[in-house]
Amino acid sequence: MAPVIPSYRRIDRDDRVPLVSASAIVGGADSGYHVLRIRGYSSIKVAFPNGSHFDSHPFRVAGHTWVIRYYPNGDRPETADHISFYLRFMDQVGPGEEVMAQFVFSFIDQVEMQKPAFVGNLEARRFGTNGSWGNKEFIKKESLEQSNRLKDDCFSIRCDIIVAGLPRAEAAAAFVVAVPPLELPQHLGALLLAGKGADLRFLVGDKTFAAHRCVLGARSPVFDAMLFGQMKEGTATENCIRIDDMAPQVFQTLLHFIYTDSLPETIEQDDSGATMAQHLLEAADRYDLQRLKLICEDRLCQQIDVSTVATTLALAEQHHCQALKEACFEFLKSPKTLDEVSATDGFQHLVKTSPSVLFQLMSKLAER
């Protein structure tokens, strides 16, 4: 809350007396981020000379539409040995109307740069219609190519944005109570970690996890039926439930989501977590956690590459993830890409386990 600014009535030029009433000027802000994955870095670098660019798909942050503009060989002659990124504002606003925003481009592993405390300390920029600001020397191409951030000719960057709201006047009370953000996820997460009051254990591989029947039953229809409904048949009275077909780390992440409605920060920031996302999607479908399933589906859509597309497509078919399936079809539309994928072990597995999806793929390609 901004400091209270008293109202005044004029006595004479040099003397002012504060009135009893008071008001405050309050500024608001909203934030979000977008992850852009660059696939086929080498071919894009050849195809787009210095000064040439292409834009990401439009995305929404803080009620506004943006795109990320990517210059593979720099945006001007003096930056030809660099990669440039710009944030472009796509909304139409009236003359003199602008949006104030702080933003930063970072690699996925640069976690400290993605925190609100870091972004909020950066200089705010004014964005009008078709306005753009960015980093003309984001990284030298040579440095990227020699780093482990370029994997399978792909790399990902993240753009964090904080948009300042329009200031508004509010009446100010004599006392201002600061209400903290929602605490329930943190409290339930601490309850899970401490195991206090746990009345159920799961044995997954060689690890044991304590949990609470009521929390699991409230969050998952499958756990509800297993622990309280017709499926319980001894399960509800057993102290330990054994799960043999799931990795301990996957089950631990599943429990974390059930208690906190979010993924652990280590999973959120892991750019190479396609395998975890695949296993977690299977677990979410198994226990009917639809929000988690959609989160995993969205994450996998952003991580499709030659090495993962076949297994991802088989997973999408098995668990009825239509958007993920369409994303895989879109990735495979290039004959060159399809040839590369067909040589992978994942594709051979797809042929054996999901032949129907290959007919769907051929139909899609024939339509083009």
Side-chain angles (χ1 to χ4, degrees), residues 97-118:
E97 295 182 8
E98 296 174 319
V99 170
M100 297 293 293
Q102 297 154 296
F103 69 96
V104 65
F105 291 104
S106 63
F107 288 104
I108 291 295
D109 61 324
Q110 294 177 307
V111 180
E112 292 301 318
M113 294 178 63
Q114 298 158 8
K115 294 182 177 180
F118 178 87

Side-chain angles (χ1 to χ4, degrees), residues 101-287:
Q102 297 154 296
F103 69 96
V104 65
F105 291 104
S106 63
F107 288 104
I108 291 295
D109 61 324
Q110 294 177 307
V111 180
E112 292 301 318
M113 294 178 63
Q114 298 158 8
K115 294 182 177 180
F118 178 87
V119 184
N121 283 326
L122 300 177
E123 181 180 357
R125 300 294 187 178
R126 297 180 181 272
F127 288 85
T129 300
N130 295 324
S132 66
W133 292 88
N135 189 336
K136 63 183 179 181
E137 297 180 348
F138 177 72
I139 189 173
K140 280 194 171 183
K141 292 179 289 187
E142 181 181 3
S143 299
L144 174 64
E145 291 160 9
Q146 294 176 355
S147 73
N148 58 9
R149 288 171 173 149
L150 185 65
K151 301 176 182 177
D152 297 324
D153 208 31
C154 304
F155 72 96
S156 296
I157 61 106
R158 170 169 160 160
C159 181
D160 285 82
I161 307 169
I162 296 178
V163 176
L166 292 175
R168 63 190 187 277
E170 288 185 353
F175 299 96
V176 177
V177 178
V179 179
L182 189 66
E183 296 177 336
L184 183 60
Q186 289 80 4
H187 290 167
L188 288 180
L191 181 68
L192 174 65
L193 289 175
K196 186 177 180 180
D199 55 0
L200 186 65
R201 289 185 302 126
F202 290 91
L203 181 61
V204 187
D206 59 349
K207 292 191 176 182
T208 302
F209 300 92
H212 305 78
R213 295 171 189 267
C214 289
V215 176
L216 269 58
R219 295 281 284 147
S220 161
V222 175
F223 276 127
D224 183 51
M226 180 189 299
L227 300 173
F228 300 104
Q230 296 178 355
M231 290 173 56
K232 66 180 184 180
E233 295 183 2
T235 308
T237 58
E238 293 284 343
N239 290 328
C240 185
I241 297 176
R242 184 180 183 89
I243 297 180
D244 295 317
D245 51 353
M246 188 179 299
Q249 185 183 3
V250 175
F251 189 76
Q252 184 178 25
T253 304
L254 182 78
L255 282 181
H256 184 278
F257 182 86
I258 287 175
Y259 277 73
T260 68
D261 206 35
S262 65
L263 292 176
E265 187 173 343
T266 53
I267 300 296
E268 287 281 14
Q269 303 296 343
D270 184 5
D271 188 39
S272 60
T275 301
M276 168 59 81
Q278 289 177 350
H279 291 313
L280 202 54
L281 187 147
E282 292 178 318
D285 195 32
R286 173 175 173 176
Y287 292 106

Side-chain angles (χ1 to χ4, degrees), residues 32-48:
Y33 69 89
H34 184 76
V35 175
L36 177 64
R37 185 166 178 81
I38 308 298
R39 303 189 185 97
Y41 163 78
S42 300
S43 59
I44 293 173
K45 184 176 70 169
V46 172
F48 288 80

